[in-house]
Amino acid sequence: MLIKIYPENPNERAIEQVVEVLKKGGLIIYPTDTIYGLGCDISNPKAIEKICRIRGIKPEKANFSFICHDLSHISDFIKPIDNTTFRVLKKALPGPFTFIFNANNNVPKLLSSNKKTVGIRVPDNNIARCIVKELGNPILSTSIKDDDELIEYSTDPELIYEKYQDLVDLVIDGGYGDNEASTVIDCTNGEFEVIREGKGNIEDFL
């Protein structure tokens, strides 16, 4: 199923439809402030396994992000952080960053068998954040990669739908996506260490 949602003013009924799919263990492809993501409800182990099969990776080896609605969501899954880190997050989010933190015991067991860290995102995209808010917990997410050598990420939702319609339950057309991923920043040692340059520049917020 392909549904159109406008990011400026997401349709409430459409958001509820997406959340219904997630609650039933379905997979969705949805827009963010960077690239399109493949996601599921983090509390559904079967859905997580399905995503891992699509990506050809083992759950315990996967580097997934948690898409959160706001900062209050983040503290549910990470160990306590200092005030300086919190102030930077408050300025930088919502935004095109993935922050890696030390995970606490709430991270789903399927993912945390060997994992001590978790990647957290609060995208500056109304569709993604409305879905998470309505769902009541984060979406487990991974990027949609493209097979094309020149284009790393798929940006056209209709082409994404053609490619993934048999693998996922719902694709959201939220307009063209970006072709640049989020900047990944490791915060596990109390520092802000950029481990992948992407769309966001953390220097603007330090």
Side-chain angles (χ1 to χ4, degrees):
M1 180 170 33
L2 177 68
I3 65 170
K4 176 85 182 166
I5 301 180
Y6 294 94
E8 300 78 29
N9 188 19
N11 179 298
E12 215 172 297
R13 292 285 301 278
I15 295 292
E16 285 168 6
Q17 196 180 348
V18 176
V19 168
E20 204 54 43
V21 168
L22 289 167
K23 283 182 174 171
K24 288 178 178 165
L27 306 188
I28 66 165
I29 290 176
Y30 66 99
T32 71
D33 53 352
T34 55
I35 52 189
Y36 269 80
L38 166 65
C40 71
D41 184 340
I42 61 162
S43 64
N44 192 306
K46 282 201 168 75
I48 295 171
E49 284 170 357
K50 272 195 272 185
I51 285 186
C52 290
R53 276 202 299 278
I54 290 173
R55 290 298 305 270
I57 41 184
K58 291 183 173 160
E60 63 274 12
K61 295 238 167 74
N63 288 318
F64 293 126
S65 302
F66 286 14
I67 304 290
C68 297
H69 173 253
D70 57 22
L71 283 179
S72 64
H73 242 159
I74 292 177
S75 56
D76 294 341
F77 299 97
I78 66 172
K79 289 185 175 167
I81 55 175
D82 60 46
N83 288 337
T84 308
T85 304
F86 183 77
R87 276 199 297 273
V88 172
L89 293 187
K90 212 167 174 187
K91 285 191 281 185
L93 297 174
F97 300 98
T98 301
F99 290 100
I100 296 173
F101 293 105
N102 294 305
N104 68 19
N105 294 333
N106 291 338
V107 173
K109 288 288 174 278
L110 183 67
L111 294 173
S112 61
S113 48
N114 295 318
K115 289 186 81 64
K116 305 278 190 292
T117 61
V118 60
I120 298 284
R121 281 215 67 200
V122 181
D124 189 9
N125 178 286
N126 288 335
I127 297 170
R129 290 171 63 228
C130 282
I131 292 167
V132 172
K133 190 175 186 184
E134 180 71 24
L135 181 63
N137 56 341
I139 297 172
L140 180 104
S141 186
T142 181
S143 308
I144 294 290
K145 292 276 189 181
D146 201 291
D147 301 328
D148 190 302
E149 287 180 15
L150 296 175
I151 307 167
E152 193 178 356
Y153 300 104
S154 305
T155 58
D156 183 336
E158 291 191 5
L159 294 179
I160 291 172
Y161 175 68
E162 278 176 31
K163 184 174 175 181
Y164 286 94
Q165 59 182 321
D166 296 329
L167 295 171
V168 304
D169 301 272
L170 187 146
V171 176
I172 296 168
D173 176 353
Y176 273 86
D178 212 317
N179 194 27
E180 191 175 14
S182 62
T183 295
V184 180
I185 298 159
D186 187 343
C187 301
T188 53
N189 297 317
E191 303 287 322
F192 291 92
E193 186 191 346
V194 175
I195 54 177
R196 181 183 75 191
E197 292 279 0
K199 191 175 176 184
N201 181 8
I202 195 62
E203 295 294 328
D204 296 343
F205 304 99
L206 297 180

